[in-house]
Amino acid sequence: MRNTRLFALCIAIILQVTAFGQTFEEVSLSSGIDFLPHPSSFMGGGVAVFDFNNDGLEDIYFAGCLDEDALFKNLGNDSFENVTESAGLLLTGDKNTTGVVTGDIDNDGDRDVFVTTWRAVIAPGYASNYLFRNNGDETFTDITLEAGLADSVFSLSASFIDINQDGFLDLYVGNYVENPSFIEEDGVIMGFDHECFEDFFYLNNGDLTFSHMAEDLGINNAGCALAMSATDYDRDGDSDLMVANDFGEFIIPNRLYNNDYPDFSMDDVAPVTGANIGLYGMGVAIGDYDEDQDLDYYITNLGANVLLNQADGVFEDVALETGVINDSSDGLLHTSWGTFFADLDNDTYLDLFVTNGHIPTVDFIDNHVEDPNLYYHNNGDGTFTNVAPANGLADVQMGRGCAYGDFNLDGQLDIVVVNLQNPGVPENLRVKLFENQGTENHWLDITLEGVLCNRDAFGTQVELYVGDRIFLRELNGGGGCHASQESSRLHFGLGTLEEVDSLVVHWPGGVPETFLLEEIDTQHHLVQGFSSGILHLNADNLFTVYPMPNKGSFTVRTSLSTAPKTIFIYDLQGSLVYEQAWHQGKNSTDIQLPRTLARGMYTLQFSSEAGIQKSTLLVVE
């Protein structure tokens, strides 16, 4: 009987591999990534995927918990280098880092880094969170204190969001347990009764400082937040906030804060939308998995996960009927943490990835010690099938955060998973990088650059039109993948499709723009206000000015390895009307012309190693 079952299992795996024709290979050590966070109470485990030095390659930042954090630089040859020390990111003092998100807080073209912390268990009290400003030369400077972010509680996840649409990224920080306690009946522990720190919201003042505004906005959630994401759930052009709370059945259920922009206020609409689920909320994945042009939300849990399918602003849990509930087996609960939607096989349908991991400290809740990760393949009919074993992703560790990125620029999404030190499963302990071996399916990647909105374009929604289908993606500022942040490249699998019709970009608070993309199987860089011309990363343009036309505020971008020194602007009579030094070490410079300058045609000129370069721009009122 045992041999018969083994044979049947082998046949099932072979059929899955044949059906999907795609696998992942674990390449962390061969890529130079040897790292293992040392946690306190098995909490933490955040990771961020971002391009810290603007070389076109995505790098990886790990929160190290009780150990040092680590920034791994992508060298572009299927290998990474630990550059934490040279980048100035070694942390001092007693600390216990838990999560990480990145965002360009000053719109200078470089991603800055925010790290959440918890110090309890190491020493009494708590450690401050960290904000590192990117200097643009592969180094960072700690500006936490002067920025007004040196608060010390128990922070876990965070998300960048521009709530008031002033073009500067604000910051929401989810905080966790303050005074843990338990519910007992006749001496038996039945559940949790914790008090939790209120969450933080920091408004960006535009001068590298932030102001506490959570209480003013009514978003000082005290529900033991473990994950959150800025998301425009109602697609009205402003970012809202989805917050997943731990112990939601006993304390405070999940929150959904609706942004009332242009009013500076937010309202919790979770009760009226059905988003106020009470569970052990761990992570939030966002995606339009059923292609009905609204966003759906998958929320992980200790026990049954939840898939909130949206229809007309109301949510219904469809996890059971879609096959993604992952509640229990063999009398033990499964425990899910990080999660994201992404088209992992480029077949046009959004798949779902989930990291699982044991909680050894919860004695009265029996959960699996060996709890493999999940790859739910989207079947294209509103259901999913777990194909992780056949694809090399059913890793059995103490998983927490996760993220995706295309680290070798082959159009196939790779996956990074953070595993914590786990005495129950000691073998192969380290973070894991799973390289996607790919399919023959077509694909398209989009990177966005805001001009009137925030430079990172967080809060943007993109619709790709192909025949009678519309693929919807949203770019957000992290926090949903449990203390983590996935790539900011919007990825579209195209299957056998060989062309697309158009792409509509809904910038935050701005006028939608339509871009016509002639090339597939490549990456396009789209700049707000520049729909008349598309910037390709491999373009021959030495310089680009955008937006065109403009109102006297514009950006000059260069692909030269050595930037010019000075920019000169002449009127049509040849008179110099403005000059500005180029910010050295940057590939772009922002220009704000004097308000007294008359509207009309001007010539922009600067010298470089390539000779005198000219461009005509139109200044309008």
Side-chain angles (χ1 to χ4, degrees):
M1 178 65 71
R2 182 175 180 180
N3 290 336
T4 302
R5 290 179 178 175
L6 180 60
F7 176 76
L9 177 61
C10 291
I11 291 297
I13 293 175
I14 291 172
L15 289 175
Q16 284 188 357
V17 173
T18 302
F20 297 103
Q22 178 242 357
T23 60
F24 287 79
E25 181 182 353
E26 204 285 298
V27 297
S28 55
L29 291 183
S30 62
S31 299
I33 299 177
D34 188 4
F35 190 72
L36 177 64
H38 178 198
S40 173
S41 295
F42 305 102
M43 301 297 292
V47 58
V49 172
F50 71 116
D51 183 1
F52 89 96
N53 56 356
N54 289 326
D55 64 352
L57 301 171
E58 294 186 302
D59 312 294
I60 308 175
Y61 187 106
F62 293 103
C65 298
L66 301 179
D67 296 328
E68 288 291 344
D69 290 9
L71 173 63
F72 285 91
K73 177 182 176 180
N74 190 338
L75 302 179
N77 55 359
D78 292 322
S79 64
F80 291 80
E81 178 186 2
N82 190 333
V83 296
T84 315
E85 184 172 2
S86 62
L89 291 170
L90 291 179
L91 307 181
T92 59
D94 291 332
K95 49 85 184 130
N96 176 8
T97 58
T98 51
V100 56
V101 289
T102 70
D104 188 355
I105 64 168
D106 50 2
N107 292 323
D108 66 348
D110 301 308
R111 281 287 184 94
D112 310 297
V113 176
F114 181 76
V115 180
T116 57
T117 67
W118 171 39
R119 197 180 70 175
V121 175
I122 315 171
Y126 298 87
S128 168
N129 297 325
Y130 294 90
L131 176 63
F132 294 98
R133 187 187 184 193
N134 193 326
N135 300 319
D137 59 0
E138 298 197 358
T139 68
F140 292 80
T141 300
D142 183 354
I143 62 168
T144 311
L145 186 61
E146 51 265 47
L149 301 180
D151 293 300
S152 303
V153 292
F154 185 173
S155 301
L156 262 165
S157 291
S159 185
F160 281 109
I161 175 175
D162 184 5
I163 280 188
N164 58 353
Q165 297 194 13
D166 63 351
F168 290 96
L169 289 177
D170 312 309
L171 182 63
Y172 186 90
V173 181
N175 296 324
Y176 199 54
V177 174
E178 181 177 12
N179 296 311
S181 59
F182 299 94
I183 298 172
E184 295 188 24
E185 293 183 7
D186 300 324
V188 178
I189 297 178
M190 304 296 294
F192 296 96
D193 188 24
H194 296 353
E195 293 182 19
C196 305
F197 288 105
E198 292 185 351
D199 293 347
F200 297 143
F201 175 74
Y202 300 100
L203 186 71
N204 191 331
N205 299 318
D207 58 0
L208 296 177
T209 68
F210 293 78
S211 298
H212 286 259
M213 298 295 290
E215 187 172 355
D216 300 70
L217 283 168
I219 56 176
N220 51 331
N221 165 63
C224 291
L226 275 180
M228 77 289 302
S229 188
T231 177
D232 186 5
Y233 84 97
D234 53 2
R235 306 200 63 194
D236 64 351
D238 53 46
S239 292
D240 313 299
L241 273 167
M242 174 80 73
V243 183
N245 287 330
D246 202 358
F247 320 116
E249 182 181 354
F250 309 102
I251 306 177
I252 296 175
N254 293 344
R255 304 283 203 185
L256 177 57
Y257 294 110
N258 180 67
N259 192 340
D260 297 323
Y261 179 84
D263 294 336
F264 188 63
S265 64
M266 302 191 80
D267 301 306
D268 181 19
V269 296
V272 297
T273 61
N276 61 331
I277 307 293
L279 70 169
Y280 301 103
M282 311 284 199
V284 180
I286 304 172
D288 180 20
Y289 77 92
D290 53 0
E291 293 182 25
D292 62 354
Q293 285 74 66
D294 57 34
L295 293 173
D296 310 301
Y297 300 86
Y298 185 74
I299 304 175
T300 55
N301 185 29
L302 170 56
N305 294 336
V306 169
L307 177 54
L308 296 179
N309 180 269
Q310 183 179 180
D312 298 324
V314 178
F315 296 97
E316 177 187 3
D317 180 13
V318 296
L320 180 60
E321 50 264 51
T322 56
V324 295
I325 192 167
N326 189 46
D327 51 356
S328 62
S329 61
D330 301 324
L332 299 174
L333 295 176
H334 292 289
T335 310
S336 299
W337 297 81
T339 182
F340 57 75
F341 281 107
D343 189 352
L344 296 176
D345 58 356
N346 287 340
D347 70 345
T348 74
Y349 297 105
L350 282 178
D351 307 306
L352 181 63
F353 182 78
V354 184
T355 57
N356 285 346
H358 179 53
I359 305 179
T361 55
V362 186
D363 296 329
F364 61 94
I365 298 181
D366 294 327
N367 60 109
H368 279 276
V369 174
E370 297 188 4
D371 204 352
N373 299 329
L374 304 167
Y375 167 11
Y376 287 117
H377 179 264
N378 190 329
N379 300 318
D381 59 0
T383 67
F384 294 81
T385 300
N386 179 29
V387 297
N391 283 269
L393 290 174
D395 193 43
V396 179
Q397 300 291 334
M398 192 179 288
R400 293 297 185 264
C402 63
Y404 63 79
D406 182 4
F407 299 109
N408 53 5
L409 300 179
D410 64 352
Q412 318 291 330
L413 293 182
D414 312 305
I415 300 174
V416 58
V417 174
V418 180
N419 299 308
L420 303 181
Q421 290 191 24
N422 181 3
V425 186
E427 66 277 5
N428 298 321
L429 284 176
R430 61 180 179 275
V431 301
K432 298 293 182 68
L433 174 59
F434 296 95
E435 183 181 81
N436 193 331
Q437 301 304 294
T439 67
E440 297 299 320
N441 290 330
H442 295 295
W443 56 276
L444 184 69
D445 276 0
I446 302 296
T447 56
L448 300 174
E449 183 174 328
V451 176
L452 300 177
C453 70
N454 65 89
R455 185 78 171 247
D456 290 322
F458 289 160
T460 300
Q461 294 186 350
V462 173
E463 295 170 324
L464 181 66
Y465 288 77
V466 185
D468 60 353
R469 298 176 66 184
I470 304 175
F471 305 140
L472 174 64
R473 302 288 188 270
E474 182 177 63
L475 177 58
N476 61 67
C481 300
H482 184 73
S484 300
Q485 182 178 28
E486 68 268 31
S487 169
S488 293
R489 293 173 179 165
L490 299 179
H491 180 80
F492 298 87
L494 298 178
T496 59
L497 300 169
E498 296 184 347
E499 61 181 9
V500 299
D501 297 328
S502 63
L503 185 138
V504 178
V505 180
H506 298 266
W507 306 98
V511 177
E513 287 188 86
T514 300
F515 294 83
L516 301 178
L517 308 178
E518 296 181 357
E519 296 182 63
I520 63 172
D521 297 328
T522 189
Q523 177 180 309
H524 296 270
H525 183 71
L526 307 183
V527 181
Q528 187 178 17
F530 201 64
S531 55
S532 58
I534 302 172
L535 295 179
H536 296 274
L537 292 184
N538 59 349
D540 293 328
N541 309 54
L542 294 178
F543 299 92
T544 308
V545 180
Y546 59 88
M548 292 269 281
N550 58 70
K551 296 184 179 181
S553 176
F554 56 93
T555 297
V556 181
R557 186 186 184 100
T558 181
S559 59
L560 290 172
S561 57
T562 303
K565 293 183 178 180
T566 308
I567 299 173
F568 304 95
I569 297 178
Y570 298 86
D571 62 21
L572 297 185
Q573 287 71 46
S575 299
L576 181 67
V577 296
Y578 183 81
E579 67 178 82
Q580 177 176 316
W582 190 285
H583 189 186
Q584 295 302 301
K586 304 291 184 180
N587 65 350
S588 64
T589 288
D590 297 324
I591 295 178
Q592 177 65 61
L593 297 179
R595 293 175 180 263
T596 55
L597 197 64
R599 67 179 182 177
M601 301 294 293
Y602 294 86
T603 297
L604 181 148
Q605 189 176 107
F606 42 82
S607 59
S608 68
E609 293 180 357
I612 299 296
Q613 302 293 325
K614 297 181 180 180
S615 178
T616 302
L617 58 138
L618 175 65
V619 179
V620 297
E621 293 182 341

